[in-house]
Amino acid sequence: MTSKRWGNVELTVPAWINIWAEDIQTIFPEVNQRMALTIELARVNLKYGGGPFGAAVFNRQSGELIAPGVNWVVPGKSSLLHAEVMALALAEQVLGNYNLASQGEFELVTSVEPCCQCLGVLLWSGVSSLVCGAHSVDAEAIGFDEGPRGSNWEQVLIQKGICVTREVMRPQAVEVLQSYTGEIYNANYRSYNMEPRSCK
Ligand SMILES: [Zn+2]
């Protein structure tokens, strides 16, 4: 017998996104337009207390915006709430399938290269293309950690049939990273690395 109960896990989408989305276009034919949108998401997100990361899923052919995402880890109190995870989870909900590949060809555009969590999520999401802005070293330069992600991650994606384009509008994405003054939330993970402790 237990008195504990658990409800559903809800991934919070910041309220500001739907207000902001009322004034944006819905078709983004060029890759730079798609990247500019994700960088703008990251930039606006800072004003609301989120992290300096933005992402979005687009229909690869038409350029239609399917779903946006921002880093909402700290306000949303969840380590899941990376921009890529939010965009992919929303896209799967919009398209009504956990496997985006069954619905067409979709592109994940992210203002910074994916961390180990997002790499896993994007692999299982069925996207056929990944476009990145800032390099991982740019995120690491301000204290964030990409986690235990193999140095061959790009090749792994390509072998799985996912096209990878890196360093699109990197300076603009880096500018948002460098303007961030909030919490660097993977501190425990990093200090764990610095001070190994026994698991016994
Ligand atoms: Zn991530």
Side-chain angles (χ1 to χ4, degrees), residues 82-85 113-119 146 185:
H82 288 198
E84 299 96 316
V85 173
E113 290 177 352
C115 72
C116 60
Q117 169 177 253
C118 295
L119 193 64
E146 298 283 38
Y185 53 72

Side-chain angles (χ1 to χ4, degrees), residues 136-165:
S136 296
V137 297
D138 303 324
E140 288 161 4
I142 65 162
F144 281 103
D145 194 324
E146 298 283 38
R149 193 193 57 185
S151 58
N152 65 337
W153 65 271
E154 183 179 0
Q155 280 66 43
V156 170
L157 293 185
I158 292 168
Q159 282 164 12
K160 298 279 184 190
I162 300 170
C163 301
V164 181
T165 310

Side-chain angles (χ1 to χ4, degrees), residues 20-186:
W20 168 87
E22 288 172 8
D23 296 324
I24 63 162
Q25 65 199 82
T26 54
I27 305 292
F28 299 79
E30 306 294 330
V31 70
N32 275 24
Q33 294 174 309
R34 299 176 194 180
M35 180 56 72
L37 182 85
T38 68
I39 294 171
E40 181 63 10
L41 279 164
R43 183 182 293 116
V44 177
N45 196 39
L46 296 185
K47 293 186 198 166
Y48 294 92
F53 306 96
V57 174
F58 297 89
N59 180 298
R60 210 172 158 191
Q61 274 76 39
S62 70
E64 181 190 359
L65 171 65
I66 306 299
V70 291
N71 181 292
W72 205 243
V73 168
V74 175
K77 300 178 176 61
S78 172
S79 59
L80 294 176
L81 284 170
H82 288 198
E84 299 96 316
V85 173
M86 186 186 291
L88 290 167
L90 287 175
E92 289 165 4
Q93 205 169 77
V94 166
L95 298 168
N97 200 298
Y98 68 89
N99 179 15
L100 299 181
S102 69
Q103 307 297 305
E105 291 211 11
F106 296 92
E107 183 165 83
L108 174 66
V109 181
T110 178
S111 68
V112 182
E113 290 177 352
C115 72
C116 60
Q117 169 177 253
C118 295
L119 193 64
V121 174
L122 84 87
L123 260 171
W124 303 142
S125 72
V127 292
S128 62
S129 171
L130 169 69
V131 178
C132 310
H135 196 279
S136 296
V137 297
D138 303 324
E140 288 161 4
I142 65 162
F144 281 103
D145 194 324
E146 298 283 38
R149 193 193 57 185
S151 58
N152 65 337
W153 65 271
E154 183 179 0
Q155 280 66 43
V156 170
L157 293 185
I158 292 168
Q159 282 164 12
K160 298 279 184 190
I162 300 170
C163 301
V164 181
T165 310
R166 299 169 75 177
E167 298 186 30
V168 174
M169 299 179 67
R170 182 180 179 184
Q172 292 90 331
V174 169
E175 202 180 310
V176 178
L177 285 176
Q178 291 179 343
S179 66
Y180 181 61
T181 56
E183 184 180 338
I184 306 291
Y185 53 72
N186 279 338

